[in-house]
Amino acid sequence: MSLEPLDLAILGVYAVSIFALAQWVSRERPGHAKTTTDYFLASKSLPWWAIGASLIAANISAEQIIGMSGSGYVIGLAIASYEWMAALTLLIVGKFFLPIFLRNQIVTMPQFLEQRYGPRIRSVMAVFWLVLYVFVNITSILWLGALAITTVSGVDQTLALIALAVFGLAYQLWGGLKAVALTDAVQVTILVVGGLIIAWVMLGQIGGDAGVTGGFTRLVTEFPEKFDMILSPDSPHYAALPGIAVLVGGLWVMNLSYWGFNQYIIQRALAATSLDEAQKGIAFAAWLKLLMPLIVVLPGLAALVLAPDLARPDQAYPTMMALLPAGLKGLVFAALVAAIIGTLGSLVNSISTIFTLDLYAKVRPNQDQKHLVFVGRLAAVVAMTVGALTAQPLLGAFDQAFQFIQEFTGFFTPGIVVIFLLGLFWKRASEAGALTAAILSVLLSAGFWWLQSTGQFLLPFMNRVSIVFVVSLLAAVIVSLLVPPREGSLRIAFDGISYRTSAAFNLAAAGVIAFLIGVYALWW
């Protein structure tokens, strides 16, 4: 696929506009120097619409759009469970987790762990998340994002990677989270509009004279097996989406870890002007997640008719883009780039937050605010540079090694969820119990992985996560009862916390739940 001059002009307008907007929204009043609250928490001033949009921008990236479209082509609508169940998870995060985080003025997830359990676990998890974000998240987004750009435009992949790294760093380096979150509203608008355009045009081409509704009806009629939301055990894709487990099993563990305890996701909610504003932003993000399958799954379904003989599933989205006319193609391409930049900006800002506040400020206390902001910016530069330099070695020459790294980091997910859930809702939980959960989660996950890799045992990934979570939870409870918390280790305040939510949040939540009941009942 090639881009016309009009497409390139649209991309140029996007880049210039986002950079200029980021600098404008993050400007400070004369005589005021940025503090850590300004830089890492956007001055605690984010409105609900910025929080909701930024949550989605941090989540959706180009490789996810292309990958989910490919899964839609192969598996069908069932892959949308990742998006739709995330909407329900967001509501739980907003109603039950945020009141505790905001009541205790939590800035980072490692900070919460220290105030709940002790200083050792804060340092360990801070280092873990930094390694994960730099060597897994940044590298994968840069490499796969550059690959996506190369696939749809023909630009050299190395050049695309460098351009993404430089722009993803530069636009938010001065302004911090405020530059990221407030421009994310524009990024998500471009993403949604671009995604809806490609869906509308593709369905129109499929439907012919019957239009968009006719196109969707044709897909449902000709490919009914692609609209099964709950796969049966005899499905060839059962290992990826093991039936009812997507509703009551391991997907919950992964979603709670990602949406509730992941710094680069939850940070924008911690920067809200109030709890009510944060919860409205969460509800807005939940509604946007309901829309995402139209953008990331439907193009793959459309390719079943418009490109039935694809050599690889991941060609589905670029092939659908190639069918767009000039101008619209540029807008959809800008949406792809916006998805990459939004995620990169969020990641880099969270890396600088964790490094500065959880590690540097502990080693060198009593530093002034200006110095800490400088350290945060320097950490962002180093993180992006390291990510760009290691992207090709990890994903290019050693793709299987990187797959192992991703699998290995997933070993921690059940343990992380146990640590946070017990820390939030059970005062008897101790640091010894938390560390037991973390260690057991890794050992059990590694054991299951080894058995499966040697062909001795077959267990779907989601089911493995469920089993490891339950065993780690039981072990953490037993150890916490045997080794209770040290006196004075619990520094999280639970008094004055209310889980009551506003009428607006409740109405939005009821709408999400009604939608989910409807789609699963219709396409069970």
Side-chain angles (χ1 to χ4, degrees), residues 51-208:
I51 294 168
S54 192
L55 282 165
I56 300 303
N59 166 236
I60 301 292
S61 193
E63 78 277 3
Q64 182 177 351
I65 295 174
I66 292 176
M68 290 283 279
S69 293
S71 296
Y73 183 80
V74 174
I75 299 174
L77 191 62
I79 198 67
S81 288
Y82 278 97
E83 301 299 316
W84 285 336
M85 293 307 294
L88 193 55
T89 306
L90 278 164
L91 297 178
I92 292 173
V93 171
K95 186 172 181 64
F96 297 109
F97 299 176
L98 283 183
I100 299 175
F101 288 151
L102 293 177
R103 165 68 177 83
N104 289 276
Q105 299 181 335
I106 298 301
V107 178
T108 70
M109 293 297 97
Q111 175 200 347
F112 171 81
L113 294 178
E114 178 184 35
Q115 292 182 207
R116 179 58 186 83
Y117 293 112
R120 286 183 301 174
I121 199 168
R122 176 180 191 168
S123 300
V124 169
M125 293 309 296
V127 172
F128 165 73
W129 272 310
L130 287 177
V131 172
L132 174 68
Y133 289 165
V134 173
F135 292 102
V136 176
N137 293 86
I138 285 186
T139 53
S140 64
I141 290 167
L142 282 175
W143 181 260
L144 298 176
L147 180 61
I149 289 176
T150 299
T151 301
V152 300
S153 68
V155 175
D156 178 75
Q157 187 174 351
T158 301
L159 180 62
L161 187 150
I162 294 172
L164 288 174
V166 171
F167 189 79
L169 175 68
Y171 92 100
Q172 56 80 49
L173 185 62
W174 177 257
L177 183 61
K178 189 178 291 185
V180 173
L182 294 180
T183 56
D184 278 346
V186 178
Q187 310 259 45
V188 167
T189 300
I190 296 172
L191 176 64
V192 170
V193 170
L196 293 179
I197 284 174
I198 195 170
W200 184 273
V201 172
M202 295 305 102
L203 288 178
Q205 290 190 19
I206 293 171

Side-chain angles (χ1 to χ4, degrees), residues 10 31 51 58 83 151 173 235 295 355 368 374 382 413 430 451 459:
I10 291 173
I51 294 168
E83 301 299 316
T151 301
L173 185 62
S235 169
I295 296 168
F355 176 81
D368 61 42
F374 169 77
V382 172
T413 299
S430 67
L451 289 173
L459 183 67

Side-chain angles (χ1 to χ4, degrees), residues 309-324:
D309 300 317
L310 292 177
R312 300 193 318 273
D314 60 5
Q315 292 177 339
Y317 197 87
T319 302
M320 295 301 97
M321 280 186 64
L323 300 177
L324 295 174

Side-chain angles (χ1 to χ4, degrees), residues 180-404:
V180 173
L182 294 180
T183 56
D184 278 346
V186 178
Q187 310 259 45
V188 167
T189 300
I190 296 172
L191 176 64
V192 170
V193 170
L196 293 179
I197 284 174
I198 195 170
W200 184 273
V201 172
M202 295 305 102
L203 288 178
Q205 290 190 19
I206 293 171
D209 293 338
V212 172
T213 54
F216 187 76
T217 301
R218 181 181 172 187
L219 285 176
V220 176
T221 303
E222 293 187 11
F223 305 96
E225 74 283 359
K226 299 294 185 182
F227 287 84
D228 290 333
M229 291 299 299
I230 304 298
L231 302 183
S232 60
D234 59 354
S235 169
H237 310 295
Y238 184 78
L241 294 166
I244 199 69
V246 301
L247 298 183
V248 296
L251 185 57
W252 274 105
V253 178
M254 294 185 285
N255 276 343
L256 287 173
S257 175
Y258 182 84
W259 293 102
F261 314 127
N262 184 357
Q263 181 68 31
Y264 85 86
I265 293 295
I266 199 69
Q267 187 168 338
R268 49 267 308 123
L270 303 179
T273 56
S274 65
L275 174 60
D276 181 61
E277 202 74 3
Q279 289 174 328
K280 286 191 291 187
I282 287 280
F284 178 44
W287 273 92
L288 288 175
K289 289 302 283 183
L290 298 183
L291 191 63
M292 284 301 110
L294 283 176
I295 296 168
V296 301
V297 179
L298 189 56
L301 293 171
L304 292 168
V305 174
L306 299 175
D309 300 317
L310 292 177
R312 300 193 318 273
D314 60 5
Q315 292 177 339
Y317 197 87
T319 302
M320 295 301 97
M321 280 186 64
L323 300 177
L324 295 174
L328 289 182
K329 190 186 301 179
L331 184 59
V332 173
F333 185 66
L336 267 183
V337 175
I340 302 168
I341 296 302
T343 306
L344 278 176
S346 298
L347 263 172
V348 170
N349 183 258
S350 291
I351 288 169
S352 65
T353 304
I354 290 176
F355 176 81
T356 304
L357 301 183
D358 291 312
L359 296 178
Y360 185 85
K362 292 296 180 181
V363 176
R364 297 193 62 187
N366 304 318
Q367 298 294 321
D368 61 42
Q369 295 288 298
K370 183 178 180 180
H371 178 75
L372 291 176
V373 171
F374 169 77
V375 170
R377 289 180 177 138
L378 184 60
V381 173
V382 172
M384 187 68 88
T385 303
V386 172
L389 291 175
T390 57
Q392 184 178 16
L394 287 175
L395 283 102
F398 303 104
D399 185 57
Q400 293 305 311
F402 185 77
Q403 294 299 323
F404 174 77

Side-chain angles (χ1 to χ4, degrees), residues 34-49:
K34 284 188 188 296
T35 65
T36 53
T37 302
D38 297 328
Y39 194 74
F40 300 124
L41 285 181
S43 308
K44 295 281 287 184
S45 62
L46 291 185
W48 65 268
W49 51 267

Side-chain angles (χ1 to χ4, degrees), residues 400-443:
Q400 293 305 311
F402 185 77
Q403 294 299 323
F404 174 77
I405 292 171
Q406 284 190 306
E407 182 83 17
F408 179 77
T409 55
F411 294 173
F412 290 84
T413 299
I416 288 172
V417 176
V418 169
I419 291 169
F420 275 95
L421 287 182
L422 292 182
L424 286 166
F425 302 114
W426 192 44
K427 294 182 180 180
R428 289 288 303 275
S430 67
E431 186 175 25
L435 291 172
T436 298
I439 295 170
L440 192 59
S441 173
V442 174
L443 293 177

